Amino acid sequence: MSLFSPTTVGDVDVRNRVSLAPMTRLRSGADGVPGPLVAKYYAQRAGIGLLVTEGVYPSAESRGYAGQPGIVTEAQASGWAKVADAVHAEGGTIFMQLMNSGRVSHTDITGTDRIVAPSAIAIEGETRLADGSKVSYPVPHALETSELATVRDEFVAAARRAVDAGIDGVELHSANGYLLHEFLSPASNQRTDEYGGSPEARARFVIEVAQAVVAEIGAGRVGIRISPAHNIQDVWEKDEAETRATYEALIAGLAPLGLAYLSVLHADPAGDLIQDLRRTFGGTFIVNSGFSNVTTREEAVSAVDGDIADLVAVGRPAIANPDLVTRWQNEADENQVDQATVYGGGEHGYTDYPFLQN
């Protein structure tokens, strides 16, 4: 196999082993409806084997950012149907990342009475509101045991809406400090019920969400993303033994489901921890080396050729190069990303990066 060879991811065939990493872009306005600009953005990148969208909120309470898209209302689902149609018209495949932001939000963003988390522990620091002002993160509501089924079912309903809209599958966001990840770390999960206190207990809710989504739309349309020891947004995982035990428990619980893929964000994807998790998972494996690194063509080729992964998720190069796979196949020069235009705004820095000239 090679980076440019086709493969199968769950129930779908993909044209190559490059994946668009899920990246926050914030172009969906106050109503969270992805419009024609969002459809154009993803359709431009349909030459990438597996597109994974930015994080999409499954309930109003779970919205993390102004301008983030949702999959709650009929208007939002209709917007995503147009995105799916545009991608499919270009021969592409697209999964939607479902993201409950948990405590990484503010009620002035969600418009709800609260934000939620495993435990009532706030993040240090500030978040940005729609008007550009910054406010401190509030103390979240610690979800009662009886409330967890509601949060789980929001993921299930969102997955159903996404697939009914024509999206090929969903990715459960259990990384980067958001709600599902918050359950995994003892820094953010200090529960005393059956969902906290041990690696197996902390992994339980994530496994239950995955089981429920699989029961609704089928395992071949469900992937999951994790980021062990990424240590971001106050989800600390600095104890190596505890981190290994937690993720071993998580993957052992997920492996029997036969998910479409496991996507891992980690600085050392070839290391023992990540490769051990890959073996336990036993299915399609996607790697991404982290926020601080820009994945190069050579690194991506090496990861697949060296059997470190089945696919490689690519971030910033795919923002700046809608025809990234063509450029990599031809070893052509690449556009450089304009970091100032990554988050929010209009077409500039979003859909106006140039393609290779014929």
Side-chain angles (χ1 to χ4, degrees):
M1 65 182 183
S2 77
L3 185 67
F4 306 111
S5 64
T7 189
T8 301
V9 177
D11 290 347
V12 298
D13 297 325
V14 298
R15 58 177 70 178
N16 54 64
R17 295 166 186 266
V18 182
S19 176
L20 176 69
M23 292 176 288
T24 301
R25 302 308 309 274
L26 307 181
R27 258 78 170 188
S28 294
D31 58 6
V33 175
L37 195 65
V38 176
K40 181 179 180 180
Y41 169 77
Y42 287 110
Q44 284 180 335
R45 288 155 182 80
I48 293 171
L50 176 65
L51 302 178
V52 182
T53 73
E54 61 215 279
V56 179
Y57 59 88
S59 65
E61 192 173 77
S62 64
R63 186 176 195 171
Y65 303 100
Q68 181 187 2
I71 185 67
V72 184
T73 68
E74 288 299 318
Q76 290 166 352
S78 178
W80 283 113
K82 294 179 176 66
V83 173
D85 287 346
V87 169
H88 294 154
E90 297 296 328
T93 300
I94 184 166
F95 272 46
M96 177 186 291
Q97 187 187 67
L98 298 179
M99 179 178 109
N100 186 315
S101 296
R103 62 182 185 167
V104 189
S105 190
H106 193 280
T107 53
D108 287 348
I109 294 171
T110 64
T112 59
D113 293 333
R114 65 183 192 178
I115 59 171
V116 300
S119 301
I121 304 169
I123 303 177
E124 298 275 344
E126 298 176 318
T127 189
R128 188 181 298 275
L129 304 181
D131 63 4
S133 62
K134 291 184 177 182
V135 292
S136 297
Y137 287 107
V139 176
H141 165 73
L143 287 161
E144 301 287 344
T145 307
S146 61
E147 294 175 310
L148 294 181
T150 298
V151 176
R152 178 202 65 205
D153 291 348
E154 289 169 352
F155 277 101
V156 173
R160 170 49 61 192
R161 281 191 290 270
V163 170
D164 286 352
I167 298 293
D168 296 300
V170 300
E171 176 180 285
L172 302 177
H173 195 353
S174 187
N176 297 352
Y178 299 107
L179 183 71
L180 296 184
H181 192 193
E182 291 163 18
F183 271 88
L184 297 175
S185 169
S188 48
N189 180 350
Q190 296 182 11
R191 302 175 70 92
T192 56
D193 63 359
E194 61 266 40
Y195 293 93
S198 71
E200 293 76 16
R202 292 195 304 272
R204 180 177 178 177
F205 184 58
V206 182
I207 295 167
E208 289 182 353
V209 169
Q211 289 170 332
V213 175
V214 164
E216 179 67 26
I217 65 170
R221 295 188 181 276
V222 182
I224 191 167
R225 185 168 173 86
I226 61 173
S227 59
H230 195 45
N231 295 315
I232 189 171
Q233 300 190 132
D234 286 8
V235 174
W236 307 115
E237 295 171 324
K238 296 185 177 181
D239 184 304
E240 291 184 13
E242 188 166 49
T243 298
R244 173 177 279 274
T246 299
Y247 283 92
E248 286 178 343
L250 174 64
I251 303 305
L254 295 174
L257 300 179
L259 298 180
Y261 64 84
L262 170 65
S263 179
V264 180
L265 175 67
H266 195 273
D268 183 19
D272 290 344
L273 171 62
I274 304 308
Q275 292 300 310
D276 286 348
L277 295 178
R278 178 191 186 185
R279 283 185 282 272
T280 299
F281 180 70
T284 297
F285 187 66
I286 305 175
V287 297
N288 187 191
S289 59
F291 291 150
S292 61
N293 300 314
V294 174
T295 302
T296 65
R297 178 190 186 279
E298 290 69 26
E299 288 169 340
V301 168
S302 178
V304 174
D305 286 354
D307 196 28
I308 293 169
D310 301 297
L311 289 88
V312 178
V314 181
R316 281 166 285 180
I319 289 177
N321 299 276
D323 54 354
L324 181 69
V325 173
T326 298
R327 289 177 186 263
W328 278 3
Q329 285 178 311
N330 292 287
E331 300 188 48
D333 292 339
E334 297 176 31
N335 305 317
Q336 298 304 304
V337 71
D338 177 9
Q339 192 63 36
T341 60
V342 167
Y343 302 112
E347 66 178 354
H348 181 49
Y350 190 57
T351 57
D352 63 348
Y353 282 104
F355 288 71
L356 278 174
Q357 297 300 311
N358 294 327

